[in-house]
Amino acid sequence: EPEVTQTPSHQVTQMGQEVILRCVPISNHLYFYWYRQILGQKVEFLVSFYNNEISEKSEIFDDQFSVERPDGSNFTLKIRSTKLEDSAMYFCASSASTSGPNTGELFFGEGSRLTVL
Amino acid sequence: GNSVTQMEGPVTLSEEAFLTINCTYTATGYPSLFWYVQYPGEGLQLLLKATKADDKGSNKGFEATYRKETTSFHLEKGSVQVSDSAVYFCALRRNTGNQFYFGTGTSLTVIP
């Protein structure tokens, strides 16, 4: 069964360092997303990406964040200069479409846990 | 605004017990509603969904009915199994755009 894969599963970094989280969405999907969950809090939307550009982003997704689809398979989230409060589980997701019989179904990866020290 | 509130956990039940996990929402317009489940060491997986009022989503013995009058989408199962131990997330998607809004998740542990 096709799945979304994420790497690394866990990354520990020092405050101020750059971090890149990687995702391989399901191959025929067109919409890509990043969500995060700070421990004990809600899963929060960061950004959605379609047709090689950001289609929607939340207020969390400030200038420290960027996303890229560098080739036909990878979808990355970069945090330029990490802060302590960036420590969270980051989930990548993809979907085939926002309409049709599978309207809105997101397929999630297992998550990348980021710990900023 | 849009938000989802679900009951706090953790929830511990004995096998074959009845499960209810409450979920209420606030939304503009007419959202679609979802329950996602996360088993240990895995990503979030769609459990069931409902796209309009009075729809009932069901899967693997779980059910939830979209109640517009009470803005609720409570998850129920008549007889839980140990294998149902997981974290359950209620979520909504607006009828425009791609953004999902999730609750905090409710951890369920089923003991034999």
Side-chain angles (χ1 to χ4, degrees), chain B residues 90-105:
Chain B
C90 186
L92 72 82
R93 187 183 75 89
R94 298 174 305 175
N95 57 353
T96 56
N98 303 325
Q99 188 172 346
F100 277 63
Y101 298 82
F102 284 86
T104 52

Side-chain angles (χ1 to χ4, degrees), chain A residues 7-8 10-22 34 64-67 76-83 86-88 90 112-117:
Chain A
T7 54
H10 189 194
Q11 180 156 357
V12 181
T13 190
Q14 295 291 324
M15 193 169 55
Q17 296 296 303
E18 176 183 284
V19 161
I20 297 176
L21 305 179
R22 291 183 167 79
W34 283 101
Q64 292 297 313
F65 292 89
S66 62
V67 289
T76 61
L77 174 69
K78 181 192 289 186
I79 309 174
R80 241 180 292 282
S81 176
T82 50
K83 304 187 283 284
D86 294 328
S87 295
Y90 288 81
S112 294
R113 180 169 297 286
L114 175 65
T115 302
V116 181
L117 303 176

Side-chain angles (χ1 to χ4, degrees), chain B residues 33 37 46 53 67 72 85 90 93 96 98 107:
Chain B
L33 301 174
V37 58
L46 179 66
R67 301 279 188 209
S72 65
S85 298
C90 186
R93 187 183 75 89
T96 56
N98 303 325
S107 174

Side-chain angles (χ1 to χ4, degrees), chain A residues 46-112:
Chain A
L46 293 178
V47 66
S48 61
F49 191 87
Y50 170 70
N51 199 25
N52 284 320
E53 61 183 24
I54 291 173
S55 52
E56 202 170 346
K57 62 182 181 179
S58 72
E59 59 193 24
I60 301 168
F61 195 87
D62 61 22
D63 291 344
Q64 292 297 313
F65 292 89
S66 62
V67 289
E68 194 178 30
R69 189 154 162 81
D71 52 44
S73 59
N74 289 284
F75 179 53
T76 61
L77 174 69
K78 181 192 289 186
I79 309 174
R80 241 180 292 282
S81 176
T82 50
K83 304 187 283 284
L84 295 175
E85 54 265 37
D86 294 328
S87 295
M89 180 72 87
Y90 288 81
F91 292 104
C92 175
S94 67
S95 68
S97 172
T98 58
S99 63
N102 291 317
T103 297
E105 180 172 354
L106 296 187
F107 293 81
F108 284 86
E110 293 179 14
S112 294

Side-chain angles (χ1 to χ4, degrees), chain B residues 69-87:
Chain B
E69 63 277 13
T70 55
T71 61
S72 65
F73 193 55
H74 304 321
L75 182 69
E76 296 182 335
K77 186 173 185 182
S79 175
V80 293
Q81 305 301 311
V82 172
S83 56
D84 294 326
S85 298
V87 181

